[in-house]
Amino acid sequence: MALSGMRGLSVFISDIRNCQNKEQERLRVDKELGNVRTRFKNEKGLTHYEKKKYVWKMLYIYMLGYDVDFGQMEAVSLISAPKYPEKQVGYIVTSCLLNENHDFLRLAINAVRNDIIGRNETFQCLALTLVGNIGGREFAESLAPDVQKLLTSSSCRPLVRKKAALCLLRLYRKNPDVVNVDGWSDRMAQLLDERDLGVLTSSMSLLVALVANNYETYWSCLPKCVKILERLARNQDIPPEYTYYGIPSPWLQVKTMRALQYFPTVEDPNARQTLFEVLQRILLGTDVVKNVNKNNASHAVLFEALALVMHLDAEKEMMSQCVALLGKFLTVREPNIRYLGLENMTRMLMVSDVQDIIKRHQAQIITSLKDPDISIRRRALDLLYGMCDVSNAKDIVEELLQYLNTADFAMREELSLKAAILAEKFAPDLSWYVDVILQLIDKAGDFVSDDIWFRVVQFVTNNEDLQPYAAVKAREFLDKPALHETMVKVSAYILGEYSHLLARRPGCSPKEIFTILHEKLPTVSTSMIPILLSTYAKILMRTQPTDPELQNQIWAIFHKYESCIDIETQQRAVEYIALSRKGAALVDIMAEMPKFPERRSALIQKAEETEADTAEQSAIRLRAQQQTSSALVMTEQRPANGMPPVSQHSLVKVSRMSNEDPNTAGQGVTQANGTLSVVDPQPPEPSADLLGDLFSPLAIEGPPGAAVKSKHNMASGPQGAPNEEEILALAPVEEQTNPVQPIGNIAERFRALCLKDSGVLYEDPYIQIGIKAEWQAHQGRVVLFLGNKNTAPLLSVQALILPPSHLMMELSLVPETIPPRAQVQCPLEIINLQPSRDLAVLDFSYKFGTHVINVKLRLPAVLNKFLQPISVSAEEFFPQWRSLSGAPLKLQEVVKGVRPMSLAEMANLLNSFRLMISPGLDPNANNLVASTTFYSESTQAMLCLIRIETDPTDRTQLRMTVATGDPTLTFELKEFIKEQLISIPTISRAPAAAPPQAQPTSPTTIVSDPGALLAGLLH
């Protein structure tokens, strides 16, 4: 009987493994589930053994990923079985199938308690494991006292007591209020006298949880912890099975030292002396060896010992020992050890009088900024920031500025903020501070927040002696061929206020300053123009009676912007024209700005607000609450290559695909009792059943008719022959022959830019083309950054935009020559006329030496750039969904070949394409709903509703429904989403970095930051 039962399970598993596809597997599982359900339902008086057979099969089916909504009662009933095999199955399956809130668990509490208080140790272990795994409140209330008695019982074997300690720990963590721990101080102290290291380790885990919440009750445990550490350090009475690579029970050592850190201090001088001797032994006995496992264990003990040394405020000699040991770790080849060395040095900055000792390793820490591992570079940056003071600020800030040339995107904003804060806090003089901030803006303008240049303006305004120097520096930066917009802001403001202080210097006359500033006007954003107009007004005020030609030029500019669409720009232009006619009154109105009131730096305030959180990452929780670290500053993440903020217009829904009969294709689905069922299609009528209307009959598959097809969409079958520009816009442009090979994958770079608004579009050994874009409604502004990476100029530079018919695009003038190691910016204005998936192409060519290079690059002005997510409530969604009934406004298609992914992954993917998920609109947990608004001149702001139905048993297919008020938009959006779902492996990941061997040999560093490329080229 037993053999046939096990043979039946083996045959079933073999059948599952031999299934050729998912459908065969599902049929075999359904057959087996039907058989098991029938046995449980129809045959009364099943023995425990028979139940065990079928419950094993049920568990196996559950592990395959199928829902098992029956049989829980039979599994729970096996807990009461008298024999171990059946009882074991009951405990295992109950742990897997039921959660802490399941009603069936109430039926098992008495059986579990009987096993706990019984005499069978095997049954006790099974019961304790179940209670610990589930950890529900009812279990805690009913069984915690019994578990406590089991832990303190002297008659139980160590194996049972160890499990009891871990079970009680789980119950306490989940429900601290229902676990009675009052009066446990003496019992815990007795448990720490345990000689068995297994029970002692489990009890120490429980003690750590207890003292973390309330250490005052457990003072009697402190000397016991010190004795345990001494015993382990001297390797006294440690069984071989608890010695790991020659280290006595490293797990127990770590837990014990962690428990000690929750107590404020060790008062007893003898205990303190013993503790320091143990720590000294650990510090001196730790070294880096070739065996990785031994390294891991010894370093786990070492770094916990370092944390305890800092907590106890040890003598300076021991602190010096700790820092010296960490300094050795900075030179180890293993990156994990280098990381831990830097991290623990940062922690040690919390201790007084240690900063001077850490300064001895400043050169090694600076070297770590060039480490290949970005995590190590981040820790080195944190450490440099924390150890900086007046004595070394100048050296550290200069190193940070130099490192800024080659730093990763992910670090540049944090690096810029920290350099600015250090320059302000520890500046030896204000002129040096101005130099640092201007260099910072010049090197990393894209990553410099407005607070930084606001602060330098405040310093210059409030210090008269600094004004001439700042004006000279601002004028010098304006001579550079490529200048970031933030630098233009600073220079325009300073020169507008103080350029008259430079009147006697060559090249600093009002006419020359106006000319060089006005050259920057075509390259700046709309928000920058008002600042330049204010500067022109200041220049006009000072030259009104002496230079009529300059006055006429400035007035002409003001008149040009009188009708500007931007309200701020228009208002300033109109007001400055009116003010300039008032003669002498203009001098008083446009006088120098008064001094700013003394106020706290916004940068330092931001740093202090975030220090507490970062200190918790580098020290234990109790110490982090008592004092915050000044070594770490976190910044608001604003990566240049990040997605723009999620907007507010569009609706997408994903629901579970029904296993419909082919004869019911085209029928609708309705909701009844929380499930979806097939219904006959009915004409839409007003109904109180909103969900029924939501899932009303859907449109047939396929593209819309001829009247719906986009006139210019070649992919949809346009009428007539396409012109050459449209062919180029649709042709694959990655496979091109040139005398030089691109760095990185062009297609991957393009796909990444479809999801983000800045990054590198193309790069080869001579040039890097970066993109930074801004999108608003149906308009876009893209800036192309053309960077020459070499010491010779690029000649015959040409750029031609080949736009598809649905985009109106205008590219500013591209210079024929790009100077050596310089960067030029070429703004590109885009207007979306109508929905389409066609792509624009950049036809770019240049000459370097004897090489003529020509590339055609797709521009990421794709359909999702003109989407803005919008959150839609149920009251807004249902009426709109009902009103868009049938083709061509509502289209449905089954999409096959989708890479399997969870609903959360699919939701993230849709969010990345600016489709806002609206949870809760569908009661089916396998459905998603999202919303967005599409902008174009023809559609204006058009609400889009998308619904996707997924099949949890087959993630490679789904059914998608898209509904909008425009037939062309419905088809184009449906096809666009389908393309992304099918091409997930390439679309949803960032562009792959070029392998090291693919990098060209070049005297300069390849920089992947388009906005700050010049910083990397001119170092």
Side-chain angles (χ1 to χ4, degrees), residues 288-305:
V288 179
V289 296
K290 291 185 178 180
N291 191 298
V292 176
N293 293 327
K294 183 173 183 178
N295 274 339
N296 291 339
S298 61
H299 290 143
V301 175
L302 171 66
F303 290 123
E304 203 63 47

Side-chain angles (χ1 to χ4, degrees), residues 83 111 185 424 485 629 721 751 857:
K83 295 183 180 180
S185 177
E424 180 176 340
E485 185 172 301
S629 168
R751 295 182 184 112
L857 306 168

